Amino acid sequence: MQGLRYVLGSSLLLRVLAITAVAALGIGAIQILGLNFLNQRLKVTEQGFGLTMAMMGIGIAVGGAVVQRIASRRPANQVVGVCLAGVGVAIIVFALAPHFGFVLVAAAGIGLCLVVARAGLATLTQQLVPDPMRGRVESAVNMVVSVSTASAQGLAGLLGDPHFLGVQGVFVSAGVITLASGIASV
């Protein structure tokens, strides 16, 4: 609660927290709807979806390896914004992929850009929060990410119904929202 109160008292931290929450949207949708979507659209099996998630993991590993190199060249808000925009574009590519190869490239791109964006958001948080409050604020951020991911999964399940947006519509919407968040972050 102390961490949340501290965040609510800072408009800049509140923006960082909002951007962090938006970053979880697309991943939540893919986790819930990805297998069914890929199976229906591209006839991808559970093993193919596992490969998709492995490619996302490889993207995360590569992003983790290069984040310092990327982040040292630009201000954190620009790195976060460009990477969130990249996540948004990759989610849209995932949704519109005509072949499974595009899905794998998009998944790797999502992982790479997401980890770099999260590292940039963590850097911004560390710069804005004094040492005695840092753990509390990080706990608040983790809670918001968890709530955002779970909410995205729930909304994706509801909105993925063909009578609403449909699965592809959910992915494209999540991609557009994430892309817009990235542009706003810059």
Side-chain angles (χ1 to χ4, degrees), residues 59-104:
I60 289 169
V62 170
V66 300
V67 69
Q68 179 61 33
R69 202 171 278 149
I70 294 169
S72 66
R73 297 177 187 197
R74 293 274 181 223
N77 66 308
Q78 290 178 0
V79 171
V80 168
V82 168
C83 287
L84 280 180
V87 170
V89 168
I91 292 169
I92 293 168
V93 168
F94 184 98
L96 303 176
H99 303 288
F100 186 53
F102 285 96
V103 169
L104 296 176

Side-chain angles (χ1 to χ4, degrees), residues 49-67:
F49 185 68
L51 181 59
T52 303
M53 293 294 100
M55 286 301 291
M56 191 178 294
I58 289 169
I60 289 169
V62 170
V66 300
V67 69

Side-chain angles (χ1 to χ4, degrees), residues 7-167:
V7 169
L8 292 173
S10 166
S11 63
L12 193 52
L13 271 176
L14 199 53
R15 281 184 265 162
V16 169
L17 191 64
I19 292 165
T20 302
V22 169
L25 286 176
I27 301 303
I30 289 171
Q31 289 172 333
I32 289 298
L33 301 174
L35 175 58
N36 186 33
F37 174 72
L38 290 175
N39 184 270
Q40 288 180 0
R41 182 165 167 86
L42 300 173
K43 305 300 181 226
V44 173
T45 64
E46 291 84 357
Q47 291 80 15
F49 185 68
L51 181 59
T52 303
M53 293 294 100
M55 286 301 291
M56 191 178 294
I58 289 169
I60 289 169
V62 170
V66 300
V67 69
Q68 179 61 33
R69 202 171 278 149
I70 294 169
S72 66
R73 297 177 187 197
R74 293 274 181 223
N77 66 308
Q78 290 178 0
V79 171
V80 168
V82 168
C83 287
L84 280 180
V87 170
V89 168
I91 292 169
I92 293 168
V93 168
F94 184 98
L96 303 176
H99 303 288
F100 186 53
F102 285 96
V103 169
L104 296 176
V105 171
I110 291 167
L112 187 144
C113 291
L114 188 63
V115 76
V116 174
R118 282 287 291 134
L121 288 164
T123 298
L124 283 171
T125 303
Q126 290 173 4
Q127 291 171 346
L128 297 171
V129 178
D131 287 344
M133 286 301 295
R134 194 165 292 140
R136 291 173 182 89
V137 169
E138 286 295 329
S139 293
V141 169
N142 288 336
M143 181 200 65
V144 168
V145 167
S146 296
V147 168
S148 180
T149 301
S151 298
Q153 290 171 338
L155 280 173
L158 293 172
L159 296 176
D161 185 286
H163 294 49
F164 291 108
L165 293 177
V167 176

